Amino acid sequence: RDRDVTGVQTCALPILTLARLAADRAQPLERVFQSLLVNFLLYRGVVDAQVEEIAMRLRASLLRAAGETLAGAMEVVAIEMLSAYGIQGFLSGYVLDESPEESAQVATIETQVRIDLAAHRVPVLKLAALAAYRPLLALGEAAHRLPHAGPHPAPFDRMVDIQISRPLEERALRSEIRKLQITETTSRRVQEQYEENPYPTWTMPLISQADLETANAKTEAPESILVAGAGTGRHPLRVARLSPQSEVVALDLSLASLAYGARQARVLGIGNVTFVQGDLLDVAALGRTFDRISSVGVLHHMADPTRGLAALKGVLRPGGSIELALYTESGRQHVVAGIALREKLGLKSTPEDFRRFRRAVRAVPADHPLAALGRLPDFYSLSELRSEEHTSELQSHHDLVCRLL
């Protein structure tokens, strides 16, 4: 009530939920806003500095409550809200700051949870509190039983599905993905980054009903399509759904990212995509050519983007097309400034150091180049913030393309 949150981004679902609950006079006002917040965290997430500050305070209060004896409706409310934080934290890479007091309490709760799980007890409230700060899979084998321990409040069961069931399914899918050798030094470094933090973490595809209607009306002949730099599958799955008669090959360095995409393909019922782990530089090892190639947000990660584009050209059929999206330093001055700050502070690619980096960015004046970085949605996700670590020194995309095409 004491903060100006004008301009905070929202989405339709929480607002509709608020309207529905407010129309039900049997619902107390506290429950209305609790449901609104849960839905906001589940479906929109925190992408605003003021909202993030409020969210951190509330999470700390819920953590303290989890250490007390709660019962009945109050316990259910705490479980639902902490579970929503657990989903948001997991998908954002636990980017939110935490105080030393919170860290100590989380450590105590983790110890209690491990004891309970070893005794085959399921401490739902404490598990939800732990999940708001740490990934539950870190609990090891004991966590693998949680998907079968329900039913519990719906946000808790969904959180367990996202934090445990889905990652375990992705681990199993890794063995089904074709693997090519990756030897180039920069490629291996980028691979390590995305194995630890697959990017982007997404739950809903960017496909509208109008897109689907257009795709269903298409009469073009089937194509073979390569998506070079598939990430977690959002782009290749969109391409595949919009070209259902075509064959799509999704190539990426990160096996963890590809497994995420393979699981999403199963969920969405998309069967015309083949996932392959490999280096764009060695794309010829696929042993085939393509009618269309799409490479979005990839070449700027490479030590020599020219080599990458030449490799793509080598597997393009005569008369085919290549779709590129990349950026240069001149167009990303805020990112360049961010990389310079990280180097100046001697920060590494760890969650703790990224939190230090975010605090440093928030402390700069509003007219500083870094201030623009703090206004990006990527600033509120560890995996997305990490994706900004690399930028090429390309000065002219036009020259690059003209030399090769």
Side-chain angles (χ1 to χ4, degrees), residues 45-331:
V46 177
V47 289
D48 177 273
Q50 292 180 338
V51 174
E52 181 178 84
E53 182 181 338
I54 295 169
M56 288 191 294
R57 292 179 185 177
L58 180 57
R59 185 181 65 162
S61 298
L62 290 166
L63 179 66
R64 289 192 295 272
E68 302 170 358
T69 301
L70 299 178
M74 288 300 296
E75 182 180 20
V76 172
V77 167
I79 290 171
E80 290 183 352
M81 297 184 76
L82 284 165
S83 297
Y85 273 105
I87 292 172
Q88 185 59 215
F90 185 79
L91 295 177
S92 68
Y94 293 97
V95 74
L96 296 182
D97 282 337
E98 61 185 67
S99 68
E101 293 75 18
E102 288 173 273
S103 299
Q105 188 168 357
V106 170
T108 298
I109 288 178
E110 181 176 350
T111 299
Q112 296 169 344
V113 165
R114 290 183 180 276
I115 292 171
D116 283 338
L117 291 179
H120 299 282
R121 296 189 297 268
V122 181
V124 177
L125 177 58
K126 287 183 170 58
L127 277 164
L130 180 61
Y133 287 84
R134 306 286 185 268
L136 293 184
L137 270 181
L139 294 170
E141 293 291 331
H144 296 187
R145 299 191 298 270
L146 291 177
H148 311 290
H152 300 294
F156 180 84
D157 285 340
R158 185 178 178 203
M159 180 272 292
V160 169
D161 178 54
I162 289 174
Q163 284 217 19
I164 298 175
S165 300
R166 297 182 188 182
L168 289 178
E169 182 181 354
E170 290 161 20
R171 288 183 185 180
L173 286 170
R174 293 185 185 192
S175 62
E176 302 178 14
I177 294 173
R178 180 184 174 187
K179 301 169 185 65
L180 305 177
Q181 192 172 15
I182 301 171
T183 58
E184 204 270 337
T185 302
T186 299
S187 297
R188 292 183 66 85
R189 186 169 66 249
V190 174
Q191 177 195 4
E192 291 172 2
Q193 171 187 324
Y194 288 110
E195 293 293 4
E196 185 175 350
N197 287 98
Y199 171 82
T201 51
W202 59 281
T203 55
M204 293 180 287
L206 293 172
I207 305 173
S208 68
Q209 184 60 37
D211 288 334
L212 290 176
E213 291 174 0
T214 300
N216 293 333
K218 282 184 177 179
T219 58
E220 293 93 341
E223 295 180 304
S224 58
I225 304 170
L226 170 68
V227 177
T232 52
R234 194 171 203 170
H235 179 48
L237 291 179
R238 186 178 193 279
V239 170
R241 176 161 282 187
L242 296 180
S243 303
Q245 303 304 317
S246 296
E247 175 195 11
V248 179
V249 174
L251 179 72
D252 199 83
L253 292 166
S254 167
L255 187 58
S257 296
L258 291 168
Y260 190 105
R263 179 185 58 76
Q264 291 284 46
R266 286 188 176 185
V267 171
L268 297 170
I270 299 176
N272 58 324
V273 180
T274 300
F275 293 90
V276 181
Q277 182 190 24
D279 192 345
L280 184 156
L281 291 172
D282 297 320
V283 67
L286 290 172
R288 56 177 300 181
T289 56
F290 299 89
D291 299 307
R292 179 154 56 102
I293 297 175
S294 178
S295 183
V296 176
V298 177
L299 292 182
H300 53 257
H301 286 298
M302 306 182 73
D304 183 358
T306 304
R307 285 184 60 201
L309 188 53
L312 293 180
K313 181 184 177 183
V315 295
L316 183 67
R317 288 177 184 164
S321 63
I322 296 182
E323 171 193 24
L324 297 176
L326 63 162
Y327 55 72
T328 65
E329 290 186 359
S330 60

Side-chain angles (χ1 to χ4, degrees), residues 12-23:
L13 184 56
I15 297 302
L16 290 174
T17 300
L18 176 61
R20 175 178 57 81
L21 290 173

